[in-house]
């Protein structure tokens, strides 16, 4: 599981126009009994360095776009990786999680204000749409396992294969076949032709994983955009109906008053809002009308016309015909 966060910090003096990237890993005993809580072990440090080298050395993230105010404020991106279950090849799994979290992360938009133009204003998501990170390419880590038999090479080793293999090599490549980084721990030597063969396999694997990550991220973004549309549409309907409910309340309260001439001059847009919200708030409005009208007269709607009903004092009869005809 990967989690990305960002905060505004002061940049490094040698890179005043670039943001920073840091990766932290947590190996919990829940994932593997051999993991100990507390300070990160050797495996956790190595995993973070492999992912960090693949992203940093290849300049996959546009760090210059993270600059807000030169030499004063930049965005510091932090990736927290939590190991949930150790089934083998944690480097590749953590790398995929980090890439997916970077693609779906959105940082707040900032602007400069104040009298001198040096005051940074961070806009909340309700005011301005958050901005995604700029990633030039996706460096994908592909791990190979080697054994005492030189002719045996395993791609994506499992937990049991890692326990008996004598060497490991992790190649980080993008979909174009560019080698971003290579990590080879262990004492076993590897021939040059085997390394070249592994790089060819890693190129094919990197393209396949990149396509799957982009498809999953696109599906996630579409679902998030759909939820945002639903929230906005529901909020708009509540506001419109709330206006109509207030209008209805004023009509009911002023039904017994003496001065009701302002209600006879209802604007067309108010009438349109009333008709639009009649389906959602008709229950409350009609109950109020029924309770008030039952005190003053008896009879059906056919007896309203040509007689003095309680609504004629505050609303024009022609104005009432429109909602009545629409309900029929």
């Amino acid at each position: 599981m990967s989690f990305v966060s960002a905060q505004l910090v002061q940049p490094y003096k040698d890179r005043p126009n670039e943001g920073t990237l840091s990766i932290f890993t947590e190996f919990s005993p829940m994932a593997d009994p051999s993991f100990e809580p507390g300070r990160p072990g050797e495996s956790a440090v190595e995993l973070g360095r492999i992912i960090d080298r693949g992203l940093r050395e290849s300049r996959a993230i546009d760090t210059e776009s993270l600059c807000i105010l030169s030499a004063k404020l930049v965005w510091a991106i932090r990736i927290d990786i939590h190991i949930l279950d150790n089934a083998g090849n944690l480097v590749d799994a953590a790398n995929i999680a980090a890439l997916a979290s970077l693609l779906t992360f959105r940082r707040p938009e900032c602007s400069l204000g104040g009298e001198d133009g040096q005051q940074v204003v961070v806009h909340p998501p309700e005011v301005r749409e958050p901005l995604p990170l700029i990633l030039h390419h996706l460096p994908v880590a592909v791990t190979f396992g080697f054994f005492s038999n030189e002719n045996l090479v395993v791609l994506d080793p499992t937990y049991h294969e890692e326990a008996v293999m004598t060497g490991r090599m992790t190649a980080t490549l993008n979909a174009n076949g560019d080698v971003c980084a290579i990590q080879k721990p262990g004492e076993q030597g590897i021939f040059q032709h085997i390394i070249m063969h592994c790089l060819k396999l890693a190129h094919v694997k990197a393209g396949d994983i990149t396509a799957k990550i982009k498809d999953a991220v696109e599906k996630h973004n579409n679902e998030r955009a759909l939820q945002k549309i639903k929230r906005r549409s529901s909020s708009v309907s509540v506001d419109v109906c709330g206006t109509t409910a207030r209008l209805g309340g004023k009509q009911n309260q002023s039904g017994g008053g003496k001065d009701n001439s302002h209600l006879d001059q209802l604007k067309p847009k108010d009438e349109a809002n009333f008709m639009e919200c009649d389906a959602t708030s008709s229950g409350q409005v009609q109950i109020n009308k029924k309770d008030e009208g039952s005190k003053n007269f008896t009879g059906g709607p056919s007896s309203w016309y040509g007689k003095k009903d309680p609504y004629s004092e505050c609303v024009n009869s022609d104005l009432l015909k429109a909602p009545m005809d629409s309900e029929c």
Side-chain angles (χ1 to χ4, degrees), residues 85 89 148 157 173 184 200 227 237 249 254 272 282 293 311 321 326:
D85 186 15
N89 196 11
S148 56
L173 297 85
K184 188 207 163 294
K200 292 180 181 179
Q227 293 176 359
S237 62
S254 60
S282 59
Y311 301 102
K321 292 180 182 180
S326 62

Side-chain angles (χ1 to χ4, degrees), residues 50-61 91-92 94-96 98-99 102 135-142 171-175 178-181 206 209-210 213:
I50 293 175
I51 299 176
D52 181 81
R53 187 183 302 115
L55 291 170
R56 191 185 306 273
E57 298 298 331
S58 64
R59 302 190 67 86
I61 302 178
V91 175
D92 294 8
N95 182 80
I96 293 175
L99 294 177
L102 287 173
L135 272 71
H136 300 297
H137 59 90
L138 299 181
V140 179
V142 182
T172 304
L173 297 85
N174 56 20
D178 301 327
V179 179
C180 304
I209 295 177
T210 300
I213 293 177

Side-chain angles (χ1 to χ4, degrees), residues 70-131:
S70 179
K72 291 186 178 181
L73 282 179
V74 296
W75 284 108
I77 305 299
R78 169 172 173 156
I79 305 176
D80 290 276
I81 301 175
H82 303 269
I83 306 302
L84 303 179
D85 186 15
N86 182 17
N89 196 11
L90 293 178
V91 175
D92 294 8
N95 182 80
I96 293 175
L99 294 177
S101 60
L102 287 173
L103 289 174
T104 55
F105 174 72
R106 300 292 183 270
R107 65 172 179 85
E109 185 177 358
C110 299
S111 61
L112 300 179
E115 298 179 355
D116 55 353
Q118 299 295 312
Q119 182 179 359
V120 178
V121 179
V122 180
H123 301 281
E126 296 80 10
V127 178
R128 292 190 181 182
E129 192 72 16
L131 302 177

